[in-house]
Amino acid sequence: MALNNTFDARLQQETAVGAGVQILLLALLGTAIGMGPAGWLTGLTFAFATWAVLSRALHRSRLSSFGPANRVTLGRATLVGGVTALVADSFESSPPVTLLVGLTAVALILDGVDGKVARRTGTSSALGARFDMEVDAFLILVLSVYVSMQFGPWVLLIGGMRYGFVAAARVAPWLNAPLPPSFARKTVAALQGICLLLAGAELLPRAANLAVVLLALGSLVWSFGRDVLWLWRNSRTTVAEVPAEHRVLELAGR
């Protein structure tokens, strides 16, 4: 028991350091651009929420160490917190596009690092995979909010689609079934951040930026639609293959 408490204390120290680095980044951004109340409040809320959720998840996971891959993901989360603060601040003043693009670009690049680190160090875990996925999803949501200021609320469909899927899974449990690995799904997921970053940087003409965002949304709708169709067909096949009396027992046990 004492050993478990020691491990838990060390894990909590890791999350506390992450929150501290997040606040330091906000202080640097605030000094550099004179960030307003909206940016500060949003950034601090992100830092506290990340610390609280991650601390609870680590306590429940019973991991013996935080691991190098999770440290990379925590670093990405810190950058995402900075991007979130800048986007919130952009509602009050013109955002420093170069700074926002730089933080986002580094966060996207590091997205391909933590998985490799986990595999090479043998520290892959369900918590690490979930942590990585949630950081990715939130970054896409924040970027879609930023780009929606150029093209309208429909862009929020890009950032909200994953959260809509999670909400739908609570009503339709068959959506929780595991999906087979898919290179196409990973490619589409990576494409979202790149397209939104490109549109947000406004390096291309408005028509080209619109085409880029539409490409992101179209590919995402296709990817989600394909997965939902596969899950629906698989759920019907699974239910059909299970004897009726077994299905009754399964339902009664829920």
Side-chain angles (χ1 to χ4, degrees):
M1 180 64 71
L3 186 60
N4 289 335
N5 289 337
T6 300
F7 284 140
D8 189 63
R10 290 178 180 175
L11 294 176
Q12 300 308 320
Q13 288 175 0
E14 297 266 10
T15 61
V17 169
V21 173
Q22 178 72 83
I23 294 172
L24 176 60
L25 176 60
L26 293 175
L28 292 174
L29 292 175
T31 302
I33 67 171
M35 193 162 57
W40 272 105
L41 180 61
T42 304
L44 291 173
T45 300
F46 179 90
F48 177 78
T50 301
W51 168 78
V53 173
L54 185 57
S55 294
R56 181 180 180 185
L58 286 168
H59 178 72
R60 297 176 63 180
S61 69
R62 302 296 183 182
L63 289 179
S64 59
S65 65
F66 196 67
N70 285 334
R71 292 189 183 99
V72 175
T73 308
L74 185 58
R76 284 203 304 117
T78 301
L79 295 175
V80 171
V83 174
T84 302
L86 290 176
V87 171
D89 192 62
S90 69
F91 285 93
E92 296 182 336
S93 61
S94 298
V97 177
T98 302
L99 185 57
L100 189 148
V101 168
L103 290 177
T104 303
V106 175
L108 291 174
I109 291 171
L110 289 178
D111 185 27
V113 174
D114 45 12
K116 293 180 180 179
V117 171
R119 288 187 292 272
R120 290 182 179 180
T121 58
T123 55
S124 299
S125 67
L127 173 63
R130 180 65 182 272
F131 185 25
D132 177 54
M133 181 177 64
E134 295 298 340
V135 172
D136 292 342
F138 194 79
L139 176 59
I140 298 304
L141 176 62
V142 171
L143 291 177
S144 68
V145 170
Y146 181 66
V147 177
S148 72
M149 289 187 279
Q150 298 179 49
F151 299 111
W154 62 269
V155 182
L156 297 175
L157 290 171
I158 297 175
M161 199 169 299
R162 187 258 174 181
Y163 295 100
F165 180 86
V166 172
R170 293 182 177 274
V171 180
W174 52 271
L175 290 171
N176 288 312
L179 287 162
S182 170
F183 178 76
R185 186 187 308 118
K186 292 181 179 179
T187 301
V188 169
L191 184 66
Q192 304 308 303
I194 296 172
C195 288
L196 290 173
L197 176 61
L198 184 59
E202 299 186 63
L203 297 175
L204 302 175
R206 180 179 174 82
N209 284 332
L210 178 60
V212 167
V213 178
L214 288 172
L215 171 64
L217 179 59
S219 63
L220 193 62
V221 170
W222 170 81
S223 180
F224 269 95
R226 187 186 68 156
D227 287 344
V228 169
L229 182 60
W230 187 92
L231 289 168
W232 180 72
R233 288 175 174 173
N234 189 63
S235 68
R236 289 171 62 87
T237 301
T238 302
V239 170
E241 290 176 350
V242 177
E245 60 273 17
H246 288 184
R247 295 202 299 272
V248 171
L249 290 174
E250 289 174 0
L251 290 171
R254 290 182 179 177

